[in-house]
Amino acid sequence: GAGVSQSPRYKVTKRGQDVALRCDPISGHVSLYWYRQALGQGPEFLTYFNYEAQQDKSGLPNDRFSAERPEGSISTLTIQRTEQRDSAMYRCASRRAGMNTEAFFGQGTRLTVV
Amino acid sequence: ILNVEQSPQSLHVQEGDSTNFTCSFPSSNFYALHWYRWETAKSPEALFVMTLNGDEKKKGRISATLNTKEGYSYLYIKGSQPEDSATYLCAFGNSGYALNFGKGTSLLVTP
């Protein structure tokens, strides 16, 4: 696709439900990043992949959060047993290979847990 | 997770003023330093990606410098305009392509 696509754009879920957020990166981009963004704040790192390999998941808040990118393209961030504190904008970004390549961001998924 | 610090947190200047902000990052395992401009209700967009100590980049009235030995980068805006109002994010890239962002500097330029 032309840009990084995230779906859904908005998700309202009840506390305790599981949610899956999808990221479709720019075709050919090697690295894919997940960030969480509080209102008015910069992106907070969650995890990232190079191809299908999850390189760093140290930013995932707890074991209710997981991510996968099984074929090195589309990625899914899953939050199990959602809590109200999980409400945030979840952004995905992707980059081409190379140390001086910029990241391109998706429009984000606004998650609200009620 | 690597600490990337940006200061000030917010800045309010008058149209025509020049301004600058700072990004501090770990000086070890440096690969790249990114600057992004983030307008409200949009996604962050890249301004500069810098990889070499002493690098200077310029785009119009905006420029950036990089000191990898001491772990800081400055972003300068000359003659600020209202359309420069945005949050400016820096991101530190280390080996393995991890990309950690600071919390941003929010700039407001009033006429």
Side-chain angles (χ1 to χ4, degrees), chain A residues 31 33 35 37 40-43 45 48 50 58-59 91 95 97-103 105-107, chain B residues 1 9 31-32 34 36 38 41-44 46 49 51 89 95-104:
Chain A
S31 300
Y33 305 83
Y35 296 93
Q37 198 163 23
Q41 297 287 313
F45 173 78
Y48 88 101
N50 283 342
S58 61
R91 288 197 186 270
R95 286 170 76 192
M99 57 189 279
N100 63 345
T101 59
E102 65 191 83
F105 282 82
Q107 291 297 311
Chain B
I1 300 175
Q9 186 175 353
Y31 259 58
H34 297 220
Y36 291 79
W38 176 35
K42 294 186 179 180
S43 298
V49 178
T51 57
L89 300 166
S95 56
Y97 295 105
L99 201 57
N100 286 283
F101 282 82
K103 295 186 186 300

Short mmCIF file of all heavy atoms in Angstrom, two decimals, chain A residues 31 33 35 37 40-43 45 48 50 58-59 91 95 97-103 105-107, chain B residues 1 9 31-32 34 36 38 41-44 46 49 51 89 95-104:
data_model
loop_
_atom_site.label_atom_id
_atom_site.label_comp_id
_atom_site.label_asym_id
_atom_site.label_seq_id
_atom_site.Cartn_x
_atom_site.Cartn_y
_atom_site.Cartn_z
N SER A 31 11.55 -3.24 9.09
CA SER A 31 11.32 -3.05 10.52
C SER A 31 9.91 -2.52 10.76
O SER A 31 9.41 -1.68 10.00
CB SER A 31 12.33 -2.06 11.09
OG SER A 31 13.65 -2.52 10.92
N TYR A 33 7.38 -1.23 14.08
CA TYR A 33 7.39 -0.79 15.48
C TYR A 33 5.97 -0.59 15.97
O TYR A 33 5.10 -0.10 15.23
CB TYR A 33 8.13 0.54 15.61
CG TYR A 33 9.52 0.55 15.05
CD1 TYR A 33 9.73 0.76 13.68
CD2 TYR A 33 10.63 0.37 15.87
CE1 TYR A 33 11.01 0.77 13.16
CE2 TYR A 33 11.90 0.39 15.35
CZ TYR A 33 12.09 0.59 14.00
OH TYR A 33 13.36 0.60 13.48
N TYR A 35 3.98 1.48 19.09
CA TYR A 35 4.11 2.48 20.13
C TYR A 35 2.74 2.73 20.75
O TYR A 35 1.71 2.55 20.11
CB TYR A 35 4.63 3.81 19.56
CG TYR A 35 6.01 3.74 19.00
CD1 TYR A 35 6.21 3.50 17.64
CD2 TYR A 35 7.14 3.93 19.81
CE1 TYR A 35 7.49 3.45 17.11
CE2 TYR A 35 8.42 3.87 19.28
CZ TYR A 35 8.58 3.63 17.93
OH TYR A 35 9.84 3.57 17.41
N GLN A 37 0.65 5.86 22.78
CA GLN A 37 0.77 7.30 22.88
C GLN A 37 -0.35 7.85 23.76
O GLN A 37 -1.53 7.73 23.41
CB GLN A 37 0.69 7.91 21.48
CG GLN A 37 1.20 9.29 21.35
CD GLN A 37 1.47 9.63 19.90
OE1 GLN A 37 0.92 9.04 18.98
NE2 GLN A 37 2.32 10.60 19.69
N GLY A 40 -1.27 13.97 23.91
CA GLY A 40 -0.31 15.07 23.94
C GLY A 40 1.12 14.66 24.21
O GLY A 40 1.99 15.52 24.35
N GLN A 41 1.40 13.37 24.27
CA GLN A 41 2.74 12.87 24.57
C GLN A 41 3.37 12.22 23.35
O GLN A 41 2.67 11.82 22.41
CB GLN A 41 2.67 11.83 25.69
CG GLN A 41 2.16 12.37 27.01
CD GLN A 41 3.17 13.24 27.69
OE1 GLN A 41 4.34 12.89 27.82
NE2 GLN A 41 2.75 14.42 28.12
N GLY A 42 4.68 12.07 23.39
CA GLY A 42 5.37 11.35 22.33
C GLY A 42 5.10 9.87 22.40
O GLY A 42 4.59 9.36 23.40
N PRO A 43 5.45 9.15 21.34
CA PRO A 43 5.22 7.71 21.30
C PRO A 43 6.10 6.98 22.31
O PRO A 43 7.28 7.26 22.42
CB PRO A 43 5.62 7.32 19.87
CG PRO A 43 5.67 8.60 19.10
CD PRO A 43 6.02 9.66 20.06
N PHE A 45 7.67 3.42 23.32
CA PHE A 45 8.02 2.17 22.66
C PHE A 45 7.37 0.96 23.34
O PHE A 45 7.40 0.84 24.56
CB PHE A 45 9.55 2.01 22.67
CG PHE A 45 10.04 0.69 22.18
CD1 PHE A 45 10.10 0.43 20.83
CD2 PHE A 45 10.43 -0.29 23.07
CE1 PHE A 45 10.56 -0.79 20.36
CE2 PHE A 45 10.89 -1.52 22.62
CZ PHE A 45 10.95 -1.76 21.26
N TYR A 48 9.33 -4.14 18.71
CA TYR A 48 9.58 -4.00 17.29
C TYR A 48 10.06 -5.31 16.68
O TYR A 48 10.54 -6.21 17.39
CB TYR A 48 10.53 -2.84 16.99
CG TYR A 48 12.00 -3.15 17.02
CD1 TYR A 48 12.71 -3.34 15.82
CD2 TYR A 48 12.69 -3.21 18.22
CE1 TYR A 48 14.07 -3.59 15.85
CE2 TYR A 48 14.05 -3.46 18.25
CZ TYR A 48 14.74 -3.64 17.07
OH TYR A 48 16.09 -3.89 17.09
N ASN A 50 12.18 -7.06 13.20
CA ASN A 50 12.90 -7.04 11.95
C ASN A 50 12.46 -8.29 11.20
O ASN A 50 12.65 -9.40 11.69
CB ASN A 50 14.41 -7.05 12.14
CG ASN A 50 14.96 -5.70 12.55
OD1 ASN A 50 14.30 -4.68 12.37
ND2 ASN A 50 16.15 -5.68 13.10
N SER A 58 10.74 -5.25 25.30
CA SER A 58 10.91 -4.74 26.66
C SER A 58 9.92 -3.65 27.01
O SER A 58 9.70 -3.36 28.19
CB SER A 58 12.34 -4.22 26.84
OG SER A 58 12.59 -3.15 25.94
N GLY A 59 9.30 -3.02 26.02
CA GLY A 59 8.35 -1.96 26.28
C GLY A 59 6.93 -2.44 26.54
O GLY A 59 6.07 -1.64 26.94
N ARG A 91 0.09 3.29 17.98
CA ARG A 91 0.63 3.63 16.66
C ARG A 91 1.61 2.58 16.20
O ARG A 91 2.39 2.04 16.98
CB ARG A 91 1.33 4.98 16.69
CG ARG A 91 0.41 6.17 16.82
CD ARG A 91 1.11 7.45 16.44
NE ARG A 91 0.29 8.61 16.68
CZ ARG A 91 -0.53 9.12 15.78
NH1 ARG A 91 -0.63 8.58 14.60
NH2 ARG A 91 -1.25 10.19 16.08
N ARG A 95 9.91 0.90 8.68
CA ARG A 95 11.11 1.46 8.06
C ARG A 95 11.71 0.46 7.08
O ARG A 95 11.64 -0.75 7.30
CB ARG A 95 12.21 1.71 9.10
CG ARG A 95 12.02 2.85 10.02
CD ARG A 95 13.05 2.81 11.12
NE ARG A 95 14.37 3.23 10.66
CZ ARG A 95 15.48 3.06 11.39
NH1 ARG A 95 15.42 2.42 12.54
NH2 ARG A 95 16.63 3.49 10.95
N ALA A 97 15.16 -1.13 5.36
CA ALA A 97 16.46 -1.49 5.92
C ALA A 97 17.42 -0.32 5.74
O ALA A 97 17.28 0.47 4.82
CB ALA A 97 17.01 -2.73 5.20
N GLY A 98 18.39 -0.23 6.63
CA GLY A 98 19.39 0.84 6.53
C GLY A 98 19.35 1.72 7.75
O GLY A 98 18.28 2.04 8.26
N MET A 99 20.51 2.14 8.22
CA MET A 99 20.57 2.88 9.48
C MET A 99 20.07 4.32 9.35
O MET A 99 19.75 4.94 10.35
CB MET A 99 21.98 2.86 10.05
CG MET A 99 23.05 3.41 9.14
SD MET A 99 24.69 3.08 9.80
CE MET A 99 24.85 4.40 10.99
N ASN A 100 20.01 4.85 8.14
CA ASN A 100 19.59 6.24 8.00
C ASN A 100 18.21 6.38 7.38
O ASN A 100 17.89 7.39 6.77
CB ASN A 100 20.62 7.01 7.17
CG ASN A 100 20.71 6.45 5.76
OD1 ASN A 100 20.23 5.36 5.50
ND2 ASN A 100 21.33 7.19 4.87
N THR A 101 17.39 5.35 7.53
CA THR A 101 16.04 5.42 6.95
C THR A 101 15.05 5.92 7.98
O THR A 101 15.14 5.60 9.17
CB THR A 101 15.61 4.04 6.44
OG1 THR A 101 15.63 3.10 7.52
CG2 THR A 101 16.53 3.56 5.34
N GLU A 102 14.09 6.70 7.52
CA GLU A 102 13.10 7.27 8.43
C GLU A 102 11.96 6.29 8.66
O GLU A 102 11.73 5.37 7.89
CB GLU A 102 12.53 8.55 7.84
CG GLU A 102 11.74 8.32 6.55
CD GLU A 102 11.41 9.62 5.84
OE1 GLU A 102 12.27 10.11 5.10
OE2 GLU A 102 10.28 10.10 6.04
N ALA A 103 11.26 6.51 9.77
CA ALA A 103 10.08 5.70 10.07
C ALA A 103 8.84 6.40 9.53
O ALA A 103 8.73 7.63 9.58
CB ALA A 103 9.96 5.49 11.59
N PHE A 105 4.69 6.49 9.94
CA PHE A 105 3.69 6.12 10.92
C PHE A 105 2.33 5.91 10.29
O PHE A 105 1.95 6.60 9.32
CB PHE A 105 3.55 7.22 11.98
CG PHE A 105 4.63 7.21 13.00
CD1 PHE A 105 5.86 7.79 12.74
CD2 PHE A 105 4.44 6.60 14.24
CE1 PHE A 105 6.88 7.77 13.69
CE2 PHE A 105 5.45 6.58 15.19
CZ PHE A 105 6.66 7.17 14.91
N GLY A 106 1.56 5.00 10.88
CA GLY A 106 0.16 4.87 10.54
C GLY A 106 -0.67 5.90 11.28
O GLY A 106 -0.14 6.67 12.10
N GLN A 107 -1.97 5.92 11.00
CA GLN A 107 -2.86 6.89 11.63
C GLN A 107 -3.20 6.52 13.06
O GLN A 107 -3.74 7.33 13.80
CB GLN A 107 -4.15 7.01 10.82
CG GLN A 107 -3.95 7.66 9.45
CD GLN A 107 -3.47 9.09 9.59
OE1 GLN A 107 -4.01 9.87 10.34
NE2 GLN A 107 -2.41 9.43 8.86
N ILE B 1 14.90 -0.54 27.27
CA ILE B 1 14.45 0.75 26.73
C ILE B 1 15.49 1.79 27.07
O ILE B 1 15.99 1.86 28.19
CB ILE B 1 13.10 1.15 27.35
CG1 ILE B 1 12.05 0.10 27.03
CG2 ILE B 1 12.66 2.51 26.84
CD1 ILE B 1 10.72 0.35 27.70
N GLN B 9 9.86 20.93 27.65
CA GLN B 9 8.66 20.15 27.35
C GLN B 9 7.73 20.94 26.43
O GLN B 9 7.08 20.39 25.56
CB GLN B 9 7.95 19.80 28.64
CG GLN B 9 6.77 18.87 28.48
CD GLN B 9 6.19 18.47 29.82
OE1 GLN B 9 6.75 18.79 30.88
NE2 GLN B 9 5.07 17.79 29.81
N TYR B 31 23.51 4.68 16.46
CA TYR B 31 23.37 4.41 15.04
C TYR B 31 22.80 5.61 14.31
O TYR B 31 23.26 5.99 13.26
CB TYR B 31 22.49 3.17 14.79
CG TYR B 31 23.30 1.94 14.49
CD1 TYR B 31 24.23 1.48 15.40
CD2 TYR B 31 23.13 1.24 13.31
CE1 TYR B 31 24.98 0.35 15.13
CE2 TYR B 31 23.88 0.11 13.03
CZ TYR B 31 24.80 -0.33 13.95
OH TYR B 31 25.55 -1.44 13.69
N ALA B 32 21.73 6.19 14.86
CA ALA B 32 21.08 7.30 14.16
C ALA B 32 20.25 8.11 15.13
O ALA B 32 19.79 7.61 16.17
CB ALA B 32 20.19 6.78 13.03
N HIS B 34 16.91 10.69 14.91
CA HIS B 34 15.83 11.15 14.04
C HIS B 34 15.13 12.33 14.69
O HIS B 34 14.96 12.37 15.92
CB HIS B 34 14.76 10.07 13.88
CG HIS B 34 15.21 8.80 13.21
ND1 HIS B 34 14.42 8.13 12.30
CD2 HIS B 34 16.35 8.08 13.31
CE1 HIS B 34 15.05 7.05 11.89
NE2 HIS B 34 16.21 6.98 12.49
N TYR B 36 11.33 14.29 14.19
CA TYR B 36 10.02 14.22 13.56
C TYR B 36 9.19 15.43 13.97
O TYR B 36 9.29 15.92 15.11
CB TYR B 36 9.26 12.94 13.98
CG TYR B 36 9.88 11.67 13.42
CD1 TYR B 36 11.00 11.12 14.01
CD2 TYR B 36 9.35 11.06 12.29
CE1 TYR B 36 11.59 9.98 13.49
CE2 TYR B 36 9.93 9.91 11.76
CZ TYR B 36 11.04 9.38 12.37
OH TYR B 36 11.62 8.25 11.85
N TRP B 38 5.27 16.58 14.49
CA TRP B 38 3.99 15.94 14.71
C TRP B 38 2.95 17.01 14.93
O TRP B 38 2.92 17.66 15.97
CB TRP B 38 4.10 15.00 15.91
CG TRP B 38 2.84 14.34 16.31
CD1 TRP B 38 1.83 13.91 15.50
CD2 TRP B 38 2.46 14.01 17.63
NE1 TRP B 38 0.84 13.34 16.24
CE2 TRP B 38 1.20 13.38 17.55
CE3 TRP B 38 3.06 14.18 18.88
CZ2 TRP B 38 0.53 12.92 18.68
CZ3 TRP B 38 2.40 13.71 20.00
CH2 TRP B 38 1.14 13.09 19.89
N ALA B 41 -3.57 15.70 15.43
CA ALA B 41 -4.51 14.93 14.60
C ALA B 41 -3.85 14.34 13.35
O ALA B 41 -4.54 13.80 12.48
CB ALA B 41 -5.73 15.76 14.19
N LYS B 42 -2.54 14.45 13.25
CA LYS B 42 -1.82 13.80 12.15
C LYS B 42 -0.81 12.82 12.73
O LYS B 42 -0.66 12.72 13.94
CB LYS B 42 -1.11 14.84 11.29
CG LYS B 42 -2.03 15.78 10.55
CD LYS B 42 -1.24 16.67 9.62
CE LYS B 42 -2.15 17.60 8.85
NZ LYS B 42 -1.37 18.48 7.92
N SER B 43 -0.12 12.12 11.85
CA SER B 43 0.94 11.22 12.29
C SER B 43 2.29 11.93 12.22
O SER B 43 2.46 12.84 11.42
CB SER B 43 0.98 9.99 11.38
OG SER B 43 -0.21 9.27 11.45
N PRO B 44 3.23 11.52 13.07
CA PRO B 44 4.57 12.14 12.99
C PRO B 44 5.18 11.94 11.60
O PRO B 44 5.04 10.89 10.99
CB PRO B 44 5.37 11.36 14.04
CG PRO B 44 4.36 10.82 14.99
CD PRO B 44 3.15 10.54 14.16
N ALA B 46 8.89 12.57 9.34
CA ALA B 46 10.32 12.76 9.53
C ALA B 46 10.79 14.11 9.01
O ALA B 46 10.39 14.56 7.93
CB ALA B 46 11.09 11.64 8.83
N VAL B 49 17.16 12.60 9.50
CA VAL B 49 17.81 11.42 10.07
C VAL B 49 19.31 11.67 9.99
O VAL B 49 19.83 11.91 8.90
CB VAL B 49 17.44 10.13 9.32
CG1 VAL B 49 18.18 8.94 9.94
CG2 VAL B 49 15.95 9.89 9.33
N THR B 51 23.31 10.53 11.15
CA THR B 51 24.07 9.35 11.56
C THR B 51 25.51 9.65 11.95
O THR B 51 26.15 8.83 12.61
CB THR B 51 24.09 8.31 10.42
OG1 THR B 51 24.64 8.92 9.25
CG2 THR B 51 22.70 7.81 10.12
N LEU B 89 9.53 15.71 17.85
CA LEU B 89 9.98 14.48 18.51
C LEU B 89 11.37 14.12 18.02
O LEU B 89 11.65 14.23 16.83
CB LEU B 89 9.04 13.32 18.16
CG LEU B 89 7.58 13.45 18.55
CD1 LEU B 89 6.75 12.39 17.82
CD2 LEU B 89 7.42 13.28 20.04
N SER B 95 22.00 -0.03 17.58
CA SER B 95 22.24 -1.23 16.76
C SER B 95 21.02 -2.14 16.84
O SER B 95 20.41 -2.27 17.89
CB SER B 95 23.48 -1.95 17.25
OG SER B 95 23.35 -2.27 18.62
N GLY B 96 20.67 -2.76 15.75
CA GLY B 96 19.49 -3.62 15.72
C GLY B 96 18.24 -2.88 15.29
O GLY B 96 17.17 -3.44 15.24
N TYR B 97 18.38 -1.58 15.02
CA TYR B 97 17.27 -0.78 14.48
C TYR B 97 16.18 -0.46 15.48
O TYR B 97 15.10 -0.04 15.09
CB TYR B 97 16.64 -1.46 13.24
CG TYR B 97 17.59 -1.54 12.09
CD1 TYR B 97 18.19 -2.75 11.76
CD2 TYR B 97 17.89 -0.42 11.35
CE1 TYR B 97 19.08 -2.83 10.71
CE2 TYR B 97 18.78 -0.50 10.30
CZ TYR B 97 19.37 -1.71 9.98
OH TYR B 97 20.25 -1.80 8.94
N ALA B 98 16.42 -0.64 16.76
CA ALA B 98 15.44 -0.14 17.74
C ALA B 98 15.34 1.37 17.59
O ALA B 98 16.30 2.04 17.24
CB ALA B 98 15.88 -0.50 19.16
N LEU B 99 14.17 1.91 17.82
CA LEU B 99 13.94 3.34 17.67
C LEU B 99 13.13 3.82 18.86
O LEU B 99 11.95 3.51 18.98
CB LEU B 99 13.19 3.59 16.36
CG LEU B 99 13.25 4.98 15.72
CD1 LEU B 99 14.70 5.38 15.46
CD2 LEU B 99 12.47 4.99 14.44
N ASN B 100 13.80 4.56 19.76
CA ASN B 100 13.15 5.04 20.98
C ASN B 100 12.94 6.53 20.92
O ASN B 100 13.88 7.29 20.67
CB ASN B 100 14.01 4.69 22.20
CG ASN B 100 13.93 3.21 22.53
OD1 ASN B 100 12.94 2.74 23.09
ND2 ASN B 100 14.94 2.47 22.16
N PHE B 101 11.70 6.96 21.17
CA PHE B 101 11.33 8.35 21.06
C PHE B 101 11.37 9.05 22.41
O PHE B 101 11.08 8.45 23.45
CB PHE B 101 9.91 8.49 20.50
CG PHE B 101 9.83 8.29 19.01
CD1 PHE B 101 9.78 7.01 18.48
CD2 PHE B 101 9.78 9.38 18.16
CE1 PHE B 101 9.71 6.83 17.10
CE2 PHE B 101 9.70 9.21 16.79
CZ PHE B 101 9.67 7.93 16.26
N GLY B 102 11.67 10.34 22.36
CA GLY B 102 11.48 11.19 23.52
C GLY B 102 10.02 11.60 23.63
O GLY B 102 9.19 11.25 22.78
N LYS B 103 9.68 12.34 24.68
CA LYS B 103 8.29 12.75 24.90
C LYS B 103 7.90 13.95 24.04
O LYS B 103 6.72 14.27 23.95
CB LYS B 103 8.06 13.06 26.38
CG LYS B 103 8.20 11.83 27.29
CD LYS B 103 7.81 12.17 28.71
CE LYS B 103 8.08 11.00 29.64
NZ LYS B 103 7.34 9.80 29.26
N GLY B 104 8.88 14.61 23.44
CA GLY B 104 8.57 15.69 22.52
C GLY B 104 8.67 17.07 23.16
O GLY B 104 8.58 17.24 24.38
#
